[in-house]
Amino acid sequence: MKTGAKSGFHPSEDQPLVIGQTMYVVTPYSRIVALDSATGQEKWVFTIPDGDNASLRGAAYWPGGEGAGPAIIFGTRHGRMYSISAATGQLNTDFGVNGMVDLKTPEVMKTGMEKSYILPSPPVIYKNLIITGAGPGEGPGGKNGGLGPAGDTRAWDAKTGKLVWTFHSVPLPGETGHDTWGGDSWKNRSGVNVWGYMTVDEQRGILYMPFGAPNNDRVGVDRPGDNLFGSSLVAVNADTGKLLWYFQIVHHDIWDVDAESPPTLFNVTRGNEVIPAVATVNKNGLMFILNRITGKPIYGVVERPVPKSNVPGEQTSPTQPFPVLPEPLSQTTLSRTNLYSDTPEHKTWCEKYVDDNNMLLGEVQYTPTELNRYTVPMPGTQGGVNYYGGAFDPEHGLFIVNVNNLAQPMRIIRNPDGSYVNSGPLAGLQRFWDPTNHLPCTPTPWGQLVAVDVNTGEMAWRSTLGVTDSLPAGKQNTGRPGLGGAIVTASGLVFIGATDDARFRAFDEKTGKEIWTVGLPAAAESTPITYADTRGNQYVAVVATGGGLIGAPLLSDEVIAYSLNGTKPAASILNGRLPGEATPPAITLPAETYVAIPPDATPATLFPPGPGRDLMLRVCSNCHSPNLSASRRMDAKEWNDLVQVMASRGAVATDEEFDEISAYLARSFPRTPNPTPPVPR
């Protein structure tokens, strides 16, 4: 099923919902679509009013109650939340104002109603409550760059849309955690938001909220202290929002680690004791397994000394928490002696890249970014585990998750006004790789699927996830970076897309062996879903659009479903490709070109005049510094793809304005013939 592209493709991380025999797909084209889950035949379509677009990661389902029927609940990039009938796709007019609740209320938009605010991931449903996270953006950095909309979690009546309770993610005076903010640094502080997924223990009525880092998430000079509830897992009473316990994963986060993946609930069996547990995994590559009633670690946590920042005024925490078990899920350190080494050409490129740019490599986890020097902590902001989280098999006690062994250079510079910001042509969204071919400089595997036995805390297995088609034969089994999670079936199959090599794979859960691979029209940067029809035929479906922050090409607008029995027997999965499937095609990753920009450059000197300039500066200043755009050189399609990615993550503009921004950037910063990255001094 195509999701609705008319001119160009937009990225999607949607995991479809299947309720009964209906699949609900949230498209990136202002459409919510209901399909027959077995045939793909369209049942109804809801078009979002005013040219607004749905949030990137999908919708939630409320089964109905208090006289109201079942509903599909979703947020938009203009800060609205809609309730539509699951049966007809019509607006539920009793909800909010004619089916819509405006999430941009004065209580959270304290620094101005014009600021960006979205609902980036689906809300969680508990009884007759819709519980929403927040998307206030990451802030541009610099002076006052950490201020903005609040990242509070809120609960709404599922029938009427009325606000029921609010949890202050940055504690107010008198609330637990307020003393972890030095001076007045808590006032109007933005970030500290659940931009990923929450989880509810329905039996106990406990809501688990994974909060992100405070703004600005690379520099904390203006926010001394540990900064609760930044980068923390927080448990509250789901009925009232009252705090039960918290566990801070990173103190005073200046690495953009966040705690965004869905907390996973399971039981840990130790001898004769059964412990209700919750696990959190994050971009730091660490897994913490906690008692989900008390928040106490089950396998122990130690505070270890970590390096101190050299940025003036930056008061980093002297220690950070590390789990005794499990071992790190991904690579967590990087040195000059363990860069990529499997092919001589890329090995030489990586060594020169590090040496010519005088990069400080993260030989210790939580190496802080240095002033005026590119620093490469490990994992980077797209390393470890991202928003998608892991899958759990209760029968075998295995937690299964895909990880990225990917780093990212960062550099702190001093602005003319005395503030500090992460900036530079190799900083921002640039990964620690050769931008002409997307070959990382970290040691392989660059992507893995791993399994943890939660009853022992030990690693059960590790498997390489993904291939690099551009490398010579015998060197391609490198693993690949990706976004999107795994699912595990009752029969012991693990299905996953995620990787930028545009494959969909199945693994044997017990051994981690890859047993089936099929090519996709584009990378599936989403989590699949499995379901059955009325005849008992089982399917697995996945959204495959490409795009996203990992750099996969935007090539498709399709939702693809595979039958695991019936016309394509389940046995065929165990024997390789499905009947009639071709060999997965080689994927060519887009090259990128960068140029050096002076650290004291301003928008006035960097951006040439012309239609779209002022619009671009206004829209692109709400998140990362617009100067990052001036360091890139890409063709018109590549600029359009990047703008669509930013739109899907909360940039506020109409579709026509995004087109104008893309045209301005393509005209002002076209691709140059030589795609060699700069060597800034």
Side-chain angles (χ1 to χ4, degrees):
M1 176 254 177
K2 292 183 177 293
T3 60
K6 294 182 179 178
S7 58
F9 297 119
H10 297 186
S12 174
E13 295 171 359
D14 178 38
Q15 182 183 34
L17 295 171
V18 176
I19 308 297
Q21 300 306 308
T22 301
M23 175 184 288
Y24 300 94
V25 180
V26 176
T27 82
Y29 306 101
S30 302
R31 303 166 74 238
I32 314 299
V33 183
L35 307 169
D36 183 298
S37 60
T39 66
Q41 183 176 354
E42 193 174 281
K43 293 185 174 182
W44 54 253
V45 175
F46 174 78
T47 300
I48 304 172
D50 303 325
D52 202 354
N53 219 328
S55 300
L56 193 64
R57 301 188 183 101
Y61 173 80
W62 178 51
E66 300 180 353
I72 302 298
I73 313 292
F74 63 93
T76 75
R77 70 183 187 202
H78 288 177
R80 299 164 180 167
M81 180 167 62
Y82 285 91
S83 172
I84 59 177
S85 167
T88 67
Q90 299 297 307
L91 285 164
N92 290 317
T93 56
D94 290 341
F95 182 82
V97 178
N98 196 31
M100 185 271 289
V101 167
D102 190 346
L103 299 174
K104 297 177 69 172
T105 64
E107 291 75 19
V108 297
M109 308 300 293
K110 297 177 181 179
T111 58
M113 298 297 291
E114 78 284 356
K115 301 291 186 179
S116 172
Y117 185 96
I118 68 172
L119 186 60
S121 296
V124 66
I125 306 298
Y126 171 70
K127 296 180 179 177
N128 290 332
L129 292 179
I130 302 168
I131 306 174
T132 58
E138 296 182 356
K143 187 175 182 180
N144 297 325
L147 308 184
D152 297 344
T153 298
R154 293 178 287 178
W156 314 80
D157 185 284
K159 180 180 179 181
T160 66
K162 292 181 178 179
L163 183 64
V164 177
W165 57 254
T166 299
F167 179 85
H168 299 129
S169 62
V170 176
L172 302 182
E175 295 180 341
T176 300
H178 179 73
D179 59 353
T180 64
W181 296 85
D184 289 336
S185 63
W186 61 276
K187 286 186 176 179
N188 296 330
R189 180 62 54 180
S190 195
V192 195
N193 57 305
V194 178
W195 61 262
Y197 297 87
M198 294 176 278
T199 306
V200 176
D201 182 336
E202 292 186 329
Q203 178 184 350
R204 295 177 174 86
I206 301 176
L207 171 71
Y208 301 93
M209 304 179 291
F211 282 104
N215 287 354
N216 179 273
D217 53 19
R218 313 300 170 88
V219 180
V221 172
D222 67 338
R223 49 176 176 88
D226 281 351
N227 304 145
L228 289 174
F229 293 101
S231 298
S232 299
L233 178 61
V234 178
V236 299
N237 183 308
D239 291 292
T240 65
K242 182 179 179 181
L243 177 67
L244 298 176
W245 58 259
Y246 64 88
F247 179 85
Q248 190 168 46
I249 295 159
V250 183
H251 310 316
H252 190 79
D253 190 351
I254 56 169
W255 299 270
D256 189 25
V257 170
D258 295 337
E260 71 294 324
S261 64
T264 304
L265 309 183
F266 49 77
N267 290 332
V268 170
T269 301
R270 302 186 73 182
N272 295 325
E273 185 181 14
V274 177
I275 306 170
V278 57
T280 178
V281 290
N282 308 283
K283 288 185 277 184
N284 58 11
L286 305 179
M287 179 179 181
F288 295 92
I289 303 177
L290 312 173
N291 183 309
R292 70 175 182 260
I293 299 175
T294 67
K296 302 300 182 183
I298 292 176
Y299 292 108
V301 169
V302 294
E303 290 278 343
R304 295 177 185 166
V306 293
K308 183 179 179 180
S309 171
N310 75 341
V311 176
E314 184 69 85
Q315 300 178 38
T316 47
S317 174
T319 64
Q320 294 291 350
F322 290 82
V324 176
L325 289 172
E327 67 184 60
L329 305 183
S330 66
Q331 300 168 17
T332 57
T333 60
L334 185 66
S335 70
R336 180 62 171 73
T337 59
N338 78 331
L339 298 174
Y340 174 86
S341 60
D342 289 348
T343 60
E345 299 83 4
H346 188 49
K347 177 178 183 291
T348 299
W349 189 95
C350 290
E351 292 172 346
K352 188 174 188 304
Y353 180 56
V354 169
D355 295 341
D356 288 354
N357 290 289
N358 188 32
M359 290 181 169
L360 172 66
L361 304 183
E363 296 189 11
V364 178
Q365 191 165 11
Y366 296 116
T367 295
T369 305
E370 289 205 347
L371 183 66
N372 298 324
R373 184 181 184 186
Y374 282 108
T375 307
V376 189
M378 188 72 181
T381 61
Q382 293 295 328
V385 183
N386 213 288
Y387 65 88
Y388 44 82
F392 181 70
D393 177 9
E395 181 178 352
H396 299 100
L398 291 181
F399 177 86
I400 300 167
V401 67
N402 51 306
V403 299
N404 293 325
N405 292 315
L406 187 62
Q408 181 164 324
M410 297 190 285
R411 181 182 68 173
I412 304 302
I413 65 168
R414 187 176 187 271
N415 289 324
D417 64 7
S419 63
Y420 296 92
V421 67
N422 172 50
S423 184
L426 302 183
L429 300 178
Q430 166 73 334
R431 313 302 174 202
F432 187 55
W433 60 22
D434 182 343
T436 67
N437 53 29
H438 290 199
L439 297 181
C441 288
T442 47
T444 56
W446 295 324
Q448 279 187 307
L449 189 66
V450 303
V452 174
D453 184 334
V454 303
N455 294 317
T456 64
E458 301 289 347
M459 193 67 60
W461 48 259
R462 292 180 179 270
S463 291
T464 299
L465 179 63
V467 296
T468 301
D469 295 302
S470 62
L471 289 177
K475 302 289 185 179
Q476 295 180 347
N477 192 33
T478 58
R480 289 301 307 174
L483 288 171
I487 60 171
V488 58
T489 70
S491 61
L493 290 175
V494 180
F495 287 98
I496 185 167
T499 50
D500 65 3
D501 61 2
R503 264 78 156 187
F504 192 43
R505 295 176 166 91
F507 290 78
D508 185 321
E509 177 204 359
K510 293 180 181 178
T511 64
K513 180 181 179 182
E514 184 176 327
I515 56 177
W516 173 69
T517 307
V518 64
L520 295 170
E525 298 192 347
S526 56
T527 300
I529 184 171
T530 187
Y531 57 93
D533 63 19
T534 55
R535 297 169 295 175
N537 295 317
Q538 187 175 356
Y539 304 85
V540 61
V542 69
V543 172
T545 65
L549 294 179
I550 214 69
L554 262 173
L555 297 173
S556 172
D557 66 343
E558 294 185 12
V559 181
I560 304 170
Y562 297 92
S563 174
L564 303 190
N565 49 18
T567 57
K568 293 180 178 179
S572 67
I573 291 180
L574 304 178
N575 298 325
R577 278 180 206 93
L578 294 174
E581 292 289 354
T583 300
I587 298 297
T588 301
L589 297 171
E592 304 163 14
T593 307
Y594 292 82
V595 299
I597 56 176
D600 58 350
T602 66
T605 59
L606 286 176
F607 295 96
R613 178 183 184 273
D614 293 343
L615 176 65
M616 186 279 302
L617 290 175
R618 172 175 62 81
V619 172
C620 297
S621 294
N622 284 326
C623 186
H624 298 284
S625 169
N627 290 10
L628 297 175
S629 299
S631 69
R632 292 191 167 202
R633 299 295 182 267
M634 298 189 293
D635 63 30
K637 182 182 183 305
E638 292 164 341
W639 276 119
N640 181 71
D641 289 351
L642 181 61
V643 168
Q644 291 301 331
V645 170
M646 295 301 102
S648 67
R649 281 168 168 77
V652 179
T654 66
D655 288 343
E656 291 75 17
E657 287 174 330
F658 282 126
D659 289 342
E660 185 176 346
I661 292 171
S662 299
Y664 169 78
L665 292 170
R667 187 172 60 250
S668 302
F669 306 106
R671 175 174 292 283
T672 55
N674 180 16
T676 302
V679 184
R681 300 294 184 183

